[in-house]
Amino acid sequence: MIVEIIRCLSDNYSYVIYEKETSTVSIVDPSEFNACDKVISKYKKLDFILNTHHHADHVGANLELKKKYNSKILGSSSDKDRIPGIDIFLKENQKQM
């Protein structure tokens, strides 16, 4: 597994996770499209966008990344109306999707 840290905005970070065995590419809390896309473009795809919560500095690039890479957005079901573009709703202590 490869994890790449992306500095976003003035005080945030996003994380690209590349799982070698499955060739799955995910990003955690993408707040800024250009900074995130620069790293993601090395992998030529983005399977999942993982949001820890609904604040703009964690979901700001959701829709642009989803549109460009046809990604699925995951987030808490309690934030279903606050995370833009959410596709997969997660629940507390959930073990599988």
Side-chain angles (χ1 to χ4, degrees):
M1 179 182 300
I2 297 171
V3 177
E4 295 196 51
I5 301 170
I6 305 166
R7 185 173 180 95
C8 294
L9 306 173
S10 62
D11 62 351
N12 281 66
Y13 295 93
S14 296
Y15 306 88
V16 169
I17 303 166
Y18 173 64
E19 172 49 52
K20 292 179 187 180
E21 285 184 30
T22 62
S23 294
T24 301
V25 180
S26 303
I27 191 164
V28 178
D29 292 337
S31 58
E32 186 179 355
F33 176 78
N34 290 333
C36 294
D37 188 49
K38 184 176 179 180
V39 175
I40 294 165
S41 66
K42 294 189 298 187
Y43 299 99
K44 298 182 174 60
K45 69 174 195 157
L46 177 64
D47 300 296
F48 299 106
I49 299 167
L50 313 169
N51 294 128
T52 60
H53 63 285
H54 69 277
H55 292 157
D57 62 343
H58 291 257
V59 302
N62 273 12
L63 297 178
E64 287 176 281
L65 290 172
K66 179 178 182 174
K67 182 178 180 180
K68 180 172 182 175
Y69 294 101
N70 196 30
S71 310
K72 296 292 182 193
I73 298 175
L74 290 79
S76 172
S77 59
S78 63
D79 278 333
K80 67 181 181 180
D81 296 323
R82 300 186 291 185
I83 293 178
I86 194 169
D87 299 295
I88 300 170
F89 303 99
L90 304 173
K91 294 185 180 354
E92 188 80 23
N93 297 316
Q94 181 176 338
K95 302 285 188 222
Q96 299 177 348
M97 284 197 306

